[in-house]
Amino acid sequence: LEGICAAIRIALSIGDEETPDAILNEMIGGVPGKEMQRAMEIMYGGTQTDIKAAEAIDRFLAGNSRAEHFDDYKQVFLTAKDEPRKNIITKKRGEEYPDIRESLNEEQRRILRLNARLRAVRVAEATEAIVTIAVAILDAFAEAKRDRALLDYDDLIEKSRALLMESSMAPWVLYKLDGGIDHVLIDEAQDTNPDQWEVVAALAEEFFAGEGGREAARTVFAVGDGKQSIFSFQRADPEGFTRMRDYFARKIAEAGSRLEQVPLTVSFRSTPAVLAAV
């Protein structure tokens, strides 16, 4: 959990100790008081739009608790969607006082920068909360399986892969399996995940390794269509289909044979009779 939370903050480019309160304090405490006081005075002499903005700045600067009025102050510079306002001061007034316009633009950039960090920290905290719950659920699920000596579908794949590829018993297991397997069929191959493909590759490793102890023709038959992938379902990897096709094509070529690629150009789900019935 600690590592996941650290990765979340790295992905969002925020520090481990950053909190919304700390960033809000920085946003409030970093307001350039003299510049905004001057801008407020100039804007009071402008249009109703300028005066409304000046009043928000005035309430913020004069308030005993600036935090109470910070949202109104922020809205002088940002829209309700937290996007920068195109004109903080009206065009005419800004042209009359370009230094004031630049001071307002600089404050807008400061608030925009810190507001982006504030949003990132809030996203991080919300994500960390969800992940904390998820890890607790997974831990409880794993404990329940251990108590009952049960394995689920993912466990079977993971343990099969480990047995065939990482275990000290792998050579003996593969030797025993090799004597009884002539054909491997992978259906819905576009939804086969990387661990499943590794199991398939391990089982078929000796199929194309040269002359074996038996005369039987040994085959791998994969059926799939990348366009029909249920992307990410059970870690479905449609790119793995193409990658493994190329892997077996290479292995088969090295064994002096060739891979047959059979495109299906007719959909039997949409023949005239089926369409007419529908």
Side-chain angles (χ1 to χ4, degrees):
L1 176 61
E2 186 177 331
I4 295 171
C5 291
I8 290 167
R9 288 184 172 253
I10 289 170
L12 292 167
S13 300
I14 55 176
D16 292 341
E17 305 301 322
E18 286 193 81
T19 64
D21 285 346
I23 295 173
L24 274 171
N25 289 337
E26 185 178 348
M27 291 175 81
I28 294 169
V31 171
K34 290 183 180 179
E35 288 86 344
M36 291 304 100
Q37 179 72 33
R38 172 71 176 145
M40 175 195 73
E41 293 168 356
I42 296 300
M43 293 169 83
Y44 264 131
T47 65
Q48 282 300 313
T49 300
D50 290 325
I51 292 170
K52 185 178 178 182
E55 288 172 346
I57 296 173
D58 198 354
R59 284 193 299 272
F60 173 77
L61 293 177
N64 294 325
S65 177
R66 288 188 171 185
E68 291 180 20
H69 302 286
F70 182 69
D71 282 346
D72 289 341
Y73 174 80
K74 188 176 75 169
Q75 286 179 15
V76 172
F77 304 91
L78 306 183
T79 67
K81 293 183 178 180
D82 282 344
E83 295 172 350
R85 291 195 183 279
K86 188 174 180 181
N87 294 306
I88 307 167
I89 188 171
T90 53
K91 184 178 179 182
K92 182 179 179 183
R93 201 67 172 162
E95 288 173 350
E96 292 173 353
Y97 298 93
D99 58 323
I100 297 299
R101 181 176 58 195
E102 181 51 36
S103 293
L104 291 167
N105 288 339
E106 180 62 32
E107 175 65 349
Q108 182 187 60
R109 288 189 288 269
R110 187 190 73 88
I111 291 175
L112 197 62
R113 183 177 65 253
L114 288 170
N115 198 60
R117 294 188 71 77
L118 178 63
R119 294 173 70 176
V121 170
R122 284 173 172 164
V123 167
E125 288 192 343
T127 307
E128 287 162 355
I130 293 170
V131 168
T132 299
I133 295 171
V135 168
I137 291 170
L138 291 172
D139 287 346
F141 184 49
E143 185 177 347
K145 286 188 294 183
R146 281 194 301 271
D147 289 346
R148 294 163 178 78
L150 297 174
L151 299 173
D152 66 15
Y153 181 67
D154 287 335
D155 294 332
L156 294 173
I157 296 169
E158 179 188 337
K159 291 185 182 297
S160 296
R161 178 191 168 280
L163 177 65
L164 297 175
M165 302 194 66
E166 298 171 3
S167 165
S168 60
M169 299 290 289
W172 182 83
V173 172
L174 286 168
Y175 168 73
K176 298 299 284 185
L177 288 173
D178 188 49
I181 298 178
D182 289 331
H183 306 288
V184 175
L185 166 64
I186 308 105
D187 195 16
E188 303 291 359
Q190 75 278 356
D191 292 327
T192 303
N193 69 42
D195 287 344
Q196 291 170 323
W197 276 123
E198 289 190 353
V199 170
V200 170
L203 292 175
E205 179 66 25
E206 294 298 315
F207 279 25
F208 316 107
E211 190 172 333
R214 290 180 296 125
E215 295 298 322
R218 310 179 76 186
T219 61
V220 173
F221 189 83
V223 182
D225 179 1
K227 297 187 297 298
Q228 296 187 42
S229 177
I230 310 172
F231 291 96
S232 81
F233 173 70
Q234 294 181 342
R235 297 189 297 120
D237 179 17
E239 292 180 0
F241 183 37
T242 304
R243 188 167 58 249
M244 293 305 293
R245 181 195 63 196
D246 295 343
Y247 165 81
F248 280 116
R250 188 169 62 253
K251 298 284 285 187
I252 292 168
E254 290 170 357
S257 188
R258 67 191 181 92
L259 176 72
E260 295 286 352
Q261 297 189 51
V262 184
L264 297 179
T265 57
V266 176
S267 170
F268 293 96
R269 294 173 179 173
S270 55
T271 58
V274 172
L275 293 175
V278 172

